[in-house]
Amino acid sequence: MLSKKVEEALNAQINAEMWSAYLYLSMAAYCHSIGKSGMAKWFEVQFKEEQDHAQILYNYIVQRNGHVTLRPIEAVPTEWASVLDVFESTLAHEQKVTALINELMALTTAEHDFATQSMLKWFIDEQVEEEDNAQTIIDNVRMIDGNGYGLYMLDKELGARTYTQAAPLAGSAD
Ligand code: MG
């Protein structure tokens, strides 16, 4: 049985993941607007992954006989200054999400909710990857330093990213 506090925090996290999905779709649209279709593809995959994150939390609340309550998704930015800016914003956002997941972990410790803690372990590992991915791209963009051919190659490389369903959803009906 989920405590009200944990249920509320998990519902808030669903909203944060959906906001992330919306943010990344907006970043994809920005990349298209500056002719970076490969980077746009990278963000479109990111968009799908964030929806998976929300779905994992949704499925878990349902499985624990809790009540999923969906709230409004706040507006997201629609413009960035450059390719570097959009990936720096990605890293800054993921660092915020990591802090939210850490808060959730701390709450489950306080509430002695070790089942929820076990479920959240996947998110802890996922955040390490999210931050690392964004940092690696930032390093590459800095190395290229505005060089047209470098940006062309990076756009091509990021466009090769493909979506894979998150492991906790594998085998579920959706
Ligand atoms: Mg996420």
Side-chain angles (χ1 to χ4, degrees):
M1 169 104 185
L2 290 174
S3 73
K4 278 291 152 202
K5 267 190 197 166
V6 170
E7 185 182 273
E8 162 60 31
L10 291 174
N11 274 308
Q13 191 61 34
I14 289 177
N15 190 270
E17 301 292 349
M18 291 303 288
W19 192 86
S20 299
Y22 210 44
L23 174 69
Y24 290 135
L25 193 60
S26 186
M27 288 176 167
Y30 166 74
C31 289
H32 278 300
S33 80
I34 58 166
K36 299 289 185 292
S37 60
M39 294 177 188
K41 170 80 186 308
W42 191 90
F43 280 113
E44 283 158 6
V45 171
Q46 196 76 357
F47 163 65
K48 287 186 191 154
E49 284 196 3
E50 296 307 329
Q51 290 177 83
D52 278 0
H53 298 170
Q55 181 82 57
I56 293 164
L57 296 163
Y58 172 102
N59 288 357
Y60 178 76
I61 295 173
V62 169
Q63 188 181 19
R64 300 301 307 279
N65 288 318
H67 184 190
V68 172
T69 49
L70 301 180
R71 292 102 198 242
I73 300 167
E74 296 288 328
V76 292
T78 56
E79 293 293 338
W80 286 268
S82 61
V83 164
L84 182 60
D85 185 34
V86 81
F87 285 105
E88 282 180 339
S89 300
T90 298
L91 178 60
H93 176 64
E94 287 303 333
Q95 287 167 339
K96 277 185 205 157
V97 175
T98 299
L100 291 177
I101 299 291
N102 287 344
E103 283 301 313
L104 262 171
M105 275 303 238
L107 175 66
T108 56
T109 301
E111 297 279 305
H112 289 197
D113 184 347
F114 302 114
T116 300
Q117 199 163 84
S118 173
M119 182 276 296
L120 288 172
K121 169 78 169 53
W122 183 86
F123 283 85
I124 295 280
D125 298 337
E126 177 70 8
Q127 284 311 118
V128 172
E129 213 179 286
E130 294 277 17
E131 289 188 28
D132 183 47
N133 288 343
Q135 185 63 63
T136 300
I137 297 170
I138 289 168
D139 291 344
N140 286 332
V141 173
R142 287 216 175 103
M143 183 166 51
I144 288 164
D145 195 23
N147 176 277
Y149 184 68
L151 279 170
Y152 169 76
M153 290 307 287
L154 182 63
D155 190 58
K156 240 173 131 66
E157 183 191 319
L158 294 180
R161 185 182 188 189
T162 53
Y163 164 74
T164 311
Q165 189 178 45
L169 294 179
S172 67
D174 33 38

